[in-house]
Amino acid sequence: MVASFPPTRHFLNYRKKTEKGFNNWLMNTYATVVLAAGKGTRMRSKLSKLLHPLAGIPLLGHVLKTIETIPSTPSFLAHNHDIYAHRPIVVLGHASEQVTEAFASRCLYATQYEQLGTGHAVLAAQAVVDALDPLPETVLVCYGDTPLVRAEILAQVLLEHFRQQAAVTFLTAQATLPSDFGRVARDRQGNVRAIVEVKKATPEELSLTEVNSGVYCFDRSWLWPVLQDLPRNTTGEYYLTDLVAIAASQGLKVATVQGMMDETIGINDRVQLAAAEKLLRQRILERHMYAGVTIVDPATTYIEDSVQIGMDTVILPGTMLTGETTIGAECRIGPATTIHQAHIGDRCVVRNSAIEDSVLEDEVSMGPFSHCRAGAHLARGVRMGNFAEAKNSYIGAESDMHHFSYLGDTTTGEHVNIAAGSITSNFDGKRKHRTTIGTGAFIGCDTTLIAPVTIGDHAYTGAGAVVTKDVPPYTLVVGVPAHPIRSLRPEEPPSTGNGAKE
Ligand code: UD1
Ligand code: CA
């Protein structure tokens, strides 16, 4: 049985101040404390558990993003009173440098020097919370290892807490397999009596299916003195969950909000990490589908949380979209395509290809089996066919590069044709050199451009040319090494027959 404490003076004053009711409150201020000091030993990793990526974002990043989203949730926006949200405070212990480096000033930090339980961890944040201006009335506590909890449900917990003027409000869920979650014990009237941790539960309590999800709101002025006097459990830990029984025994209001079980998943090992990844992936895919994106086969489509996709785009099976990637409207992406950290415009088609750190403007088509490496920029209407590669290159609008070709460190004008098998020889073994290809130039089949070299506007190279010197505009060069054989007037197309354009 948990010791009972008389209600603190602060809290009674607080209740008096607010007893006119929720609607008379001028402002609610809250601070969020994220508990993340656990050692995470079950991950068996050199990397802090909180930095393990889930759908491309570190675990803690998900929790922070969720907290940052609370003020813009529908529930909060519908609520017409001022609510002041402070930057989240993260309680750290083990490997904290890795975490503070990764998140820097995105949050405030507190240190729990010894891991003596979740109650002890919240107390470690007291000084940081009390130094906030304006001073928060409410402390929202979340766990750093439950990344699937949604901002909307956190908003509902906060609003319920404000409305009920409770000492404690917490999130629960109905579990079919309650496993190691704390159980919610209620009296006959349905009032919460306690959260019972599995280690201390009777067989009867273990059979309860309502569980504690690990999200709480506390009245700040009540919280600190109660935490300071919190008795230690036989396990040696101070359980935050014991505060619920203390509030109940003081006759104070304990409120609950029921959420979904799948948001409650906690990550302790890599098996749970994979389970969470699957759920999160599904959630991300559903977000895109509801926003007007067709995902033909969700089971084989992997999209990270950071990706944006426009309306009426179709994502075909086996596609992986990662990093800060944006894809425009009415595109067809896939099958079997990977795009990382790239910007794809509207109405593009990308089949069986790989793109990273690149830009495709509107109406570009690419693939099958082509590759845009770092710094590739395909301007509007470029057609890149099969087995083509571009790296650190700008390919001008409406250019064609259909078969077996490579452009590295190259800039081309518009309406350029790179015929089958043409490549830039941009690396001399020591240094990279640039190639410039003018507007309307026609690079004939199997041309090798030995960089640095410039091909003038509307120049032509004959099949198999090895170009070692700059080619003036409107000039046809052939041979090894390539030499000019004639000048071309704009209206006179060449008749070398070496293009392999479709
Ligand atoms: C906790 C709850 C349980 C709830 C479950 C939901 C307690 C006592 N129990 O159990 O009722 O159903 O979460 O996921 O709170 N941490 C610290 N310092 C510590 C100990 C833990 O910062 O000294 C942090 C951990 O990094 C973790 C979080 O607190 O992010 C929760 O701790 P954990 O040990 O995982 O609690 P559970 O056993 O999962
Ligand atoms: Ca846990």
Side-chain angles (χ1 to χ4, degrees), residues 484-498:
I485 55 167
R486 58 196 270 219
S487 176
L488 304 161
R489 276 182 290 137
E491 61 279 7
E492 184 192 354
S495 53
T496 50
N498 55 14

Side-chain angles (χ1 to χ4, degrees), residues 30-35 67 91 118 121-122 138-144 146 154 157-158 169-171 213-218 223-224 227 240:
Y30 71 92
T32 307
V33 175
V34 183
L35 302 192
I67 292 165
V91 180
T118 46
V122 173
T138 299
V139 180
L140 170 67
V141 177
C142 315
Y143 295 159
T146 44
L154 296 185
V157 173
L158 275 161
T169 305
F170 67 100
L171 183 65
S213 302
V215 171
Y216 320 78
C217 278
F218 296 102
L223 177 66
W224 302 135
L227 275 181
L240 183 64

Side-chain angles (χ1 to χ4, degrees), residues 285-501:
L285 295 177
E286 283 172 11
R287 170 160 61 80
H288 289 296
M289 291 189 270
Y290 285 126
V293 177
T294 295
I295 294 174
V296 173
D297 183 17
T300 63
T301 306
Y302 181 103
I303 302 179
E304 284 183 355
D305 204 22
S306 44
V307 174
Q308 294 174 34
I309 309 176
M311 251 171 64
D312 286 326
T313 282
V314 177
I315 309 290
L316 295 159
T319 296
M320 188 162 179
L321 309 175
T322 56
E324 301 292 324
T325 289
T326 57
I327 293 175
E330 296 171 45
C331 294
R332 241 181 124 73
I333 309 292
T337 290
T338 60
I339 302 180
H340 177 70
Q341 207 77 17
H343 173 79
I344 314 290
D346 296 335
R347 298 174 296 284
C348 290
V349 177
V350 181
R351 292 189 286 156
N352 305 74
S353 289
I355 302 174
E356 61 272 349
D357 301 295
S358 297
V359 174
L360 271 57
E361 294 184 13
D362 296 345
E363 283 146 30
V364 167
S365 71
M366 182 177 164
F369 315 115
S370 284
H371 191 179
C372 279
R373 288 166 57 207
H377 185 139
L378 277 45
R380 174 185 275 270
V382 164
R383 292 164 292 269
M384 183 191 250
N386 43 252
F387 305 104
E389 174 177 331
K391 186 219 72 179
N392 194 26
S393 291
Y394 178 89
I395 304 182
E398 300 294 341
S399 293
D400 292 286
M401 183 177 175
H402 284 284
H403 339 262
F404 316 107
S405 47
Y406 169 60
L407 291 183
D409 306 300
T410 298
T411 303
T412 89
E414 298 179 0
H415 297 280
V416 161
N417 185 65
I418 311 291
S422 294
I423 60 156
T424 51
S425 181
N426 58 322
F427 186 49
D428 63 11
K430 288 195 187 103
R431 286 192 302 143
K432 299 276 171 65
H433 301 282
R434 290 207 69 85
T435 299
T436 306
I437 301 174
T439 295
F442 187 104
I443 308 300
C445 282
D446 221 1
T447 295
T448 303
L449 301 168
I450 312 282
V453 71
T454 297
I455 311 295
D457 292 352
H458 306 283
Y460 278 64
T461 69
V466 175
V467 183
T468 54
K469 289 194 190 122
D470 291 354
V471 178
Y474 295 108
T475 303
L476 170 63
V477 295
V478 297
V480 182
H483 54 280
I485 55 167
R486 58 196 270 219
S487 176
L488 304 161
R489 276 182 290 137
E491 61 279 7
E492 184 192 354
S495 53
T496 50
N498 55 14
K501 200 177 161 191

Side-chain angles (χ1 to χ4, degrees), residues 246-296:
I246 294 170
S249 67
Q250 289 175 349
L252 298 175
K253 185 96 187 171
V254 176
T256 57
V257 170
Q258 191 167 318
M260 310 273 275
M261 194 58 207
D262 67 2
E263 342 193 16
T264 301
I265 280 192
I267 304 211
N268 298 316
D269 56 39
R270 299 194 200 218
V271 175
Q272 288 166 334
L273 185 69
E277 178 90 37
K278 192 175 168 198
L279 271 169
L280 197 63
R281 252 177 69 186
Q282 183 61 23
R283 209 189 264 181
I284 294 168
L285 295 177
E286 283 172 11
R287 170 160 61 80
H288 289 296
M289 291 189 270
Y290 285 126
V293 177
T294 295
I295 294 174
V296 173

Side-chain angles (χ1 to χ4, degrees), residues 96-108:
S96 57
E97 308 74 35
Q98 283 181 337
V99 179
T100 49
E101 255 171 48
F103 294 100
S105 62
R106 193 168 162 192
C107 39
L108 302 168

Side-chain angles (χ1 to χ4, degrees), residues 35-39 42 49-50 91 112 114-118 120-121 143-146 180-183 195-197 211-214 216 237-241 264 266 268:
L35 302 192
K39 292 200 180 72
R42 281 168 287 174
K49 172 163 98 172
L50 304 164
V91 180
Q112 184 193 21
E114 253 187 300
Q115 277 66 64
L116 296 179
T118 46
H120 183 258
Y143 295 159
D145 68 351
T146 44
D180 53 358
F181 284 97
R183 309 293 203 266
I195 295 174
V196 188
E197 291 304 312
V211 298
N212 167 32
S213 302
Y216 320 78
E237 287 189 78
Y238 297 93
Y239 290 162
L240 183 64
T241 45
T264 301
N268 298 316

